[in-house]
Amino acid sequence: MLDNHPKLKSFLHYLLVHPYTSRPRWWARTFIIPFVIKRGKGAIIRRKARLDIIPSKKIIIGKKSVIEDYTIINNGMGDIFIGDYTHVTSRVKLVGPVTLGNYVTIGSGAQITGLTHNYLDVTRPIAKQGVTPNRTIVEDDVWIGGNSCINQGITIGTHSIIASGSVVTKNVPPYSVVGGNPARILRKYDFEKQEWTKVK
């Protein structure tokens, strides 16, 4: 509805968010944001988590999931969906659009983003060229090591492990261990042998 009224949309955005930062104004953080987040039973958001949330986008946190202190969650460019029993450790950064499945664990300092900054026009500053959203998906039962970076548009398959410090630039198949910069597959689970095997 607001897309048909750009001036009204711009004015409302100005009321909610500081004009040159992504953080909502204090009154929005106090009186609006807590009611925008949909939480499952037993979900916990620690008091010192930074929630750069706007009401026009969704944020849904599943039951018994935990968002620790000093995490940054930003849904300004896309919805954020977090499944059940998922643990987002301190100093993690989630920038939507992002989907996390059930039983996902994210180590401290990791970054998962669902957008990229535009840069093609060399006559304009990159900061003024906007961004392009591209949803990043982390499926169920994934462990993401600390200080990893998951690029936009990536899908990480179920029961995979991302080694600490990895930079993931391509989709990760289910039941894989990846690591490095750029990340590559180190091990895969062989269902016939019922064991994890090295990938050469």
Side-chain angles (χ1 to χ4, degrees):
M1 183 177 101
L2 284 175
D3 289 336
N4 297 327
H5 302 86
K7 287 185 178 179
L8 176 59
K9 182 178 180 180
S10 178
F11 177 68
L12 291 175
H13 189 267
Y14 175 81
L15 291 178
L16 287 169
V17 180
H18 191 279
Y20 50 88
T21 74
S22 59
R23 191 166 200 190
R25 297 181 188 273
W26 72 268
W27 67 268
R29 297 196 305 268
T30 304
F31 300 110
I32 295 180
I33 302 308
F35 302 101
V36 170
I37 301 170
K38 294 184 179 178
R39 301 190 204 191
K41 185 175 181 181
I44 296 171
I45 301 175
R46 300 293 186 197
R47 185 174 58 85
K48 293 181 181 177
R50 176 171 165 172
L51 305 175
D52 293 347
I53 305 300
I54 61 172
S56 60
K57 305 291 183 183
K58 295 178 181 176
I59 175 166
I60 299 174
I61 301 173
K63 65 182 179 182
K64 295 189 178 179
S65 288
V66 179
I67 309 298
E68 294 288 2
D69 284 332
Y70 308 111
T71 293
I72 299 174
I73 297 181
N74 184 313
N75 74 340
M77 290 304 299
D79 301 332
I80 293 180
F81 304 113
I82 298 174
D84 301 335
Y85 306 102
T86 286
H87 194 170
V88 181
T89 321
S90 65
R91 305 189 189 285
V92 169
K93 186 175 184 180
L94 299 179
V95 180
V98 167
T99 298
L100 304 179
N102 303 321
Y103 293 99
V104 173
T105 300
I106 306 173
S108 180
Q111 175 174 300
I112 303 174
T113 183
L115 59 82
T116 184
H117 286 266
N118 303 328
Y119 66 92
L120 296 178
D121 185 350
V122 297
T123 66
R124 299 174 59 208
I126 294 172
K128 293 193 173 185
Q129 293 189 47
V131 297
T132 300
N134 190 2
R135 179 167 295 278
T136 298
I137 299 171
V138 179
E139 295 181 351
D140 295 344
D141 192 23
V142 170
W143 185 292
I144 297 175
N147 297 313
S148 297
C149 180
I150 314 300
N151 284 359
Q152 73 284 348
I154 299 299
T155 296
I156 298 177
T158 189
H159 202 98
S160 290
I161 298 171
I162 311 300
S164 295
S166 299
V167 178
V168 182
T169 61
K170 296 180 180 178
N171 291 344
V172 175
Y175 304 97
S176 301
V177 177
V178 304
N181 179 10
R184 63 181 183 86
I185 299 174
L186 304 175
R187 291 176 179 267
K188 293 189 75 172
Y189 189 76
D190 187 322
F191 281 91
E192 290 185 1
K193 295 180 179 179
Q194 295 190 340
E195 66 182 20
W196 291 89
T197 58
K198 288 185 179 180
V199 175
K200 296 181 180 179

